[in-house]
Amino acid sequence: MKKLKFIGNPLLQSREKINMSSDKKWLTLKTTEDNEEFVVEESVAIMSNVIKNMVEDGCASSVIPVPRVKGNAMGKIIEFCKKHTEESDEKVLKEFDAEFLNLGPDALYDLMVSANFLEIKVLLDSVTTKVADMIKGKSSEEIRNILKIENDLSAEEIEESRRENCWTRQE
Amino acid sequence: MNPPNDTVSIPFSDFPEDVQLSILSFLTPSEITAFSCTSKRFNSLLNTDSKLWFFLCDRKFGSKTQINKWGSGKISYKRLFKVLSELENLIGFWRRSGPSKNDDDDFVTPRLLCFDWGPCYVIGSRVSGSKSGGYDVVKVPCLWVCLDSEGERLSFLDLNCKVRVFDDLGCVEDELIRVGVNLTGRFHFVVEENVCFDKVGVVEDTMSVRDKMIGSVGNQLMADMYQYFANRTSPAGERWLRRQKRKEKERKKWEREHYVKIVNCSPTPSRPLQGLWKGICDDMKLGLYLVAYDEIGGIACRRIEDSSKPFSGFFPMFWTSNATFIESPLSPEEQYIYDSRTHIRPPEASSDHIHGDEAVSRILYIKLSCDLVIPDFADAYVNTQQVEGRIWQYGNGTFGFGFLRDGHIVDLKPITRNDNNIET
């Protein structure tokens, strides 16, 4: 039994059902990996450039299959896009993003890769900023630990690289 | 020991490339250097002109300028990032400092310069009040800074302000002066003439000079220079050289000028009068004013104008040692002082409700600057009526100033970098 997910305030669900037939256009996004379906407004869905192009080219049917994105990530993505379409206050959005991105590393990674695949610039920038903040101002050794990078440089190579790029430190 | 949330789930090297670059594009250059020392692979990412530098340029400068057009698109993004980071310090308002040896009857070195980003250059414009009688500020381009195809800076001074469009630079090559714009620190630069054409011996190879110039400054200029350098000993080359030398004798050498950055260009909540303002003065021209706060709670205002007359150019207008406002409601005497004045504003502005809220929200006591000895004001220090004045701040944050000795208010509006770009 497929579950249709309405993204929105559960209390408003009945009103939303009534509005289904009004002037707002609705799309169904189906994650092909785990067969979950999500009903969203077109104005929210087209925050993804990929979906936007499909809709504009007229090749989007009522159900759009979305590969490579898992159901959980899709749900979070739609929540993000909905908030960003509804709200225009910068401050409110910043607070929302900070709260929204309070996720574990796995969920964060899924979100990042999905946002990249679906070409949602605002979301990708938000998540990548958060990852960038993890390594800002840290030493090379600390960065290796955070990003799980293996060190294969010799001490001389490191020193040479620092010398070549000393102009970057004049700020 | 990092808390669990502070590491990534899978190694960074396994992230999709675009995601990696997006993350790195938020780092400052020095943070990128630290990152580049993590492994061989990321080391080469930094040191070669990889996509990373494109992402960095795009992140920092993509919204301000067309990064793929600088230096005719021939320079590495790594070099471009370095140069644009330097040039970014130029953006904003600068005022000329010190006396100018270049001023004469036909020309006044700009007192107020505004640098803005162009598609593939930075343009310095002379800023002055419009003569049309309105609030319009006129910005006329006179200093062009671009890059040649090897990433070296080329700067040109257009003394007669003939060039409006970058591509036309080549058409007036006779009248351009090649200059160096040398920044010392973030708040000071020197403009001085670069006499490079005389250094014949320095040029190693004609083709490389020609290649440097292609596309950067227009075909005519390039063609002339190529003709010179390719035919150094030919009659054509010698004629060109003689022509240049003659031109240079006719025009005296451009003396170096110093410019100082106007750091505080706009009001802030704690300094509501700070910045650059414009308003119609007694002479019915649009004047430009700079209001600055000092460290001891005082304010000074000077008028900035392009004038070769002595003592003008950066003329003191008013000052106060106490920047504390007196809030409304005003006393009846103060209200009378305000009500009995005429506002000096452009005619079309009067009906525009520019000062939406005519009601004065607060006032400040100021004094007329008497740094100059003016015969009429011989008793100025004794007679306070002559020097006292007021600032009336309106509800929308703008203000007007006036003095007790006359019945005017000069109403001011802020100047911003996005100001009208109308040219005479």
Side-chain angles (χ1 to χ4, degrees):
Chain A
M1 227 350 230
K2 281 184 253 173
K3 271 192 282 195
L4 278 182
K5 285 203 176 99
F6 283 98
I7 305 296
N9 187 336
L11 293 175
L12 289 176
Q13 265 187 30
S14 50
R15 212 178 302 157
E16 277 186 358
K17 279 184 192 146
I18 294 168
N19 281 337
M20 281 279 285
S21 53
S22 69
D23 49 332
K24 287 190 201 161
K25 285 179 73 184
W26 296 82
L27 297 172
T28 306
L29 302 175
K30 178 172 164 174
T31 53
T32 53
E33 282 208 4
D34 43 17
N35 276 334
E36 284 194 40
E37 289 192 1
F38 301 84
V39 182
V40 291
E41 283 180 44
E42 186 181 283
S43 55
V44 171
I46 57 172
M47 269 190 83
S48 154
N49 236 6
V50 167
I51 296 182
K52 181 166 185 268
N53 288 340
M54 286 176 71
V55 168
E56 281 174 1
D57 291 346
C59 51
S61 57
S62 50
V63 179
I64 301 181
V66 183
R68 290 166 62 170
V69 179
K70 296 191 202 128
N72 313 356
M74 196 70 215
K76 290 291 282 182
I77 288 172
I78 293 174
E79 184 189 334
F80 180 90
C81 293
K82 199 165 161 41
K83 186 72 180 180
H84 276 252
T85 349
E86 287 167 354
E87 186 66 60
S88 52
D89 188 331
E90 290 276 345
K91 240 183 125 199
V92 174
L93 283 178
K94 263 199 154 110
E95 283 173 18
F96 169 82
D97 287 357
E99 186 58 44
F100 177 83
L101 292 174
N102 226 351
L103 302 166
D106 289 317
L108 217 55
Y109 178 77
D110 283 342
L111 208 57
M112 217 166 27
V113 170
S114 308
N116 184 45
F117 173 71
L118 288 172
E119 294 178 33
I120 308 174
K121 191 171 190 315
V122 181
L123 176 56
L124 183 63
D125 283 350
S126 282
V127 188
T128 49
T129 308
K130 180 160 174 148
V131 179
D133 285 344
M134 288 181 196
I135 59 176
K136 263 181 170 299
K138 300 275 199 310
S139 72
S140 308
E141 183 60 33
E142 287 167 318
I143 295 177
R144 275 191 220 108
N145 288 338
I146 297 169
L147 296 183
K148 300 190 175 165
I149 300 174
E150 223 182 274
N151 183 11
D152 55 357
L153 287 170
S154 67
E156 295 88 38
E157 283 169 316
I158 292 180
E159 189 46 47
E160 193 185 322
S161 181
R162 275 199 219 288
R163 261 204 314 269
E164 268 179 34
N165 292 303
C166 63
W167 66 267
T168 62
R169 272 180 267 129
Q170 286 156 13
E171 283 173 358
Chain B
M1 171 67 179
N2 287 329
N5 249 356
D6 237 21
T7 60
V8 293
S9 54
I10 70 168
F12 185 75
S13 337
D14 293 346
F15 284 24
E17 191 195 15
D18 279 357
V19 174
Q20 287 180 354
L21 294 176
S22 185
I23 292 170
L24 296 175
S25 71
F26 287 106
L27 302 182
T28 63
S30 67
E31 288 162 350
I32 298 260
T33 309
F35 175 83
S36 74
C37 297
T38 51
S39 77
K40 272 194 171 56
R41 173 177 163 186
F42 296 122
N43 195 263
S44 73
L45 199 68
L46 177 75
N47 289 323
T48 59
D49 189 38
S50 56
K51 265 171 104 175
L52 171 64
W53 289 104
F54 170 79
F55 267 71
L56 280 172
C57 283
D58 189 48
R59 178 73 65 192
K60 197 158 179 209
F61 302 110
S63 55
K64 299 170 186 168
T65 184
Q66 291 179 31
I67 56 176
N68 55 342
K69 292 232 164 89
W70 284 76
S72 321
K74 288 192 167 54
I75 54 180
S76 71
Y77 282 108
K78 184 174 178 180
R79 170 86 193 140
L80 183 64
F81 187 83
K82 180 175 180 196
V83 171
L84 292 183
S85 302
E86 288 164 2
L87 287 181
E88 189 168 39
N89 291 323
L90 270 183
I91 305 298
F93 287 101
W94 297 75
R95 63 173 178 84
R96 206 191 78 218
S97 153
S100 170
K101 297 198 186 95
N102 294 307
D103 290 354
D104 58 29
D105 294 325
D106 299 319
F107 174 78
V108 175
T109 319
R111 274 279 175 188
L112 188 60
L113 271 183
C114 180
F115 282 94
D116 294 295
W117 289 104
C120 55
Y121 50 85
V122 165
I123 176 67
S125 307
R126 178 199 292 270
V127 183
S128 53
S130 146
K131 296 189 176 78
S132 66
Y135 269 117
D136 298 333
V137 165
V138 178
K139 275 159 91 165
V140 181
C142 57
L143 181 55
W144 302 80
V145 182
C146 56
L147 295 184
D148 64 22
S149 47
E150 287 184 12
E152 296 299 326
R153 267 207 251 153
L154 288 175
S155 309
F156 295 94
L157 188 60
D158 175 17
L159 278 185
N160 301 316
C161 299
K162 285 234 170 107
V163 180
R164 291 287 185 270
V165 172
F166 182 66
D167 293 331
D168 291 345
L169 275 182
C171 304
V172 293
E173 47 103 0
D174 283 1
E175 306 183 45
L176 296 178
I177 303 177
R178 172 94 193 263
V179 292
V181 176
N182 303 313
L183 276 150
T184 52
R186 286 163 53 208
F187 306 118
H188 171 240
F189 74 81
V190 175
V191 186
E192 51 192 331
E193 187 163 353
N194 253 356
V195 213
C196 60
F197 298 134
D198 281 343
K199 294 186 187 148
V200 173
V202 173
V203 177
E204 295 132 4
D205 153 15
T206 60
M207 273 314 288
S208 68
V209 172
R210 175 180 187 234
D211 287 336
K212 276 183 215 255
M213 296 314 236
I214 286 173
S216 298
V217 290
N219 291 324
Q220 186 53 45
L221 187 53
M222 181 272 288
D224 271 8
M225 287 180 190
Y226 179 57
Q227 187 189 38
Y228 165 62
F229 288 117
N231 302 304
R232 239 175 295 176
T233 54
S234 78
E238 282 182 7
R239 269 203 302 277
W240 191 92
L241 180 59
R242 278 200 300 276
R243 192 158 42 111
Q244 280 303 107
K245 282 199 170 341
R246 194 174 49 239
K247 273 195 225 134
E248 256 149 52
K249 279 208 193 78
E250 286 160 5
R251 164 177 73 72
K252 63 179 167 71
K253 181 176 187 278
W254 174 262
E255 298 288 342
R256 95 171 40 160
E257 300 281 5
H258 295 256
Y259 280 85
V260 162
K261 192 149 198 188
I262 300 180
V263 182
N264 297 313
C265 300
S266 316
T268 61
S270 57
R271 294 180 166 187
L273 302 180
Q274 169 177 274
L276 283 166
W277 301 84
K278 55 186 181 179
I280 308 283
C281 328
D282 292 350
D283 52 10
M284 294 317 286
K285 284 197 297 184
L286 188 72
L288 307 180
Y289 300 88
L290 177 61
V291 179
Y293 284 65
D294 62 33
E295 299 84 22
I296 49 175
I299 296 176
C301 171
R302 286 168 172 259
R303 181 172 170 183
I304 306 179
E305 62 174 338
D306 285 340
S307 169
S308 53
K309 292 193 289 253
F311 302 119
S312 57
F314 196 44
F315 185 82
M317 288 296 303
F318 61 78
W319 63 277
T320 177
S321 54
N322 181 3
T324 317
F325 282 89
I326 297 167
E327 304 281 337
S328 67
L330 306 175
S331 68
E333 298 84 19
E334 287 296 343
Q335 195 63 44
Y336 174 74
I337 291 174
Y338 175 69
D339 290 335
S340 57
R341 300 193 160 244
T342 43
H343 292 260
I344 305 186
R345 283 184 208 156
E348 67 274 7
S350 323
S351 53
D352 254 1
H353 300 293
I354 283 182
H355 302 284
D357 197 318
E358 278 298 336
V360 173
S361 67
R362 47 192 189 169
I363 64 172
L364 191 63
Y365 292 128
I366 57 174
K367 289 187 169 44
L368 175 68
S369 294
C370 299
D371 295 56
L372 300 184
V373 175
I374 300 174
D376 288 347
F377 290 169
D379 297 327
Y381 292 105
V382 179
N383 186 350
T384 53
Q385 274 286 84
Q386 293 291 331
V387 296
E388 264 212 40
R390 300 285 183 271
I391 284 177
W392 296 275
Q393 192 176 35
Y394 304 114
N396 62 3
T398 60
F399 67 95
F401 72 90
F403 302 100
L404 297 184
R405 66 190 176 127
D406 61 38
H408 305 135
I409 300 182
V410 177
D411 282 323
L412 299 179
K413 281 177 75 176
I415 298 177
T416 62
R417 280 207 22 245
N418 300 329
D419 227 323
N420 302 322
N421 221 340
I422 305 161
E423 302 168 28
T424 46

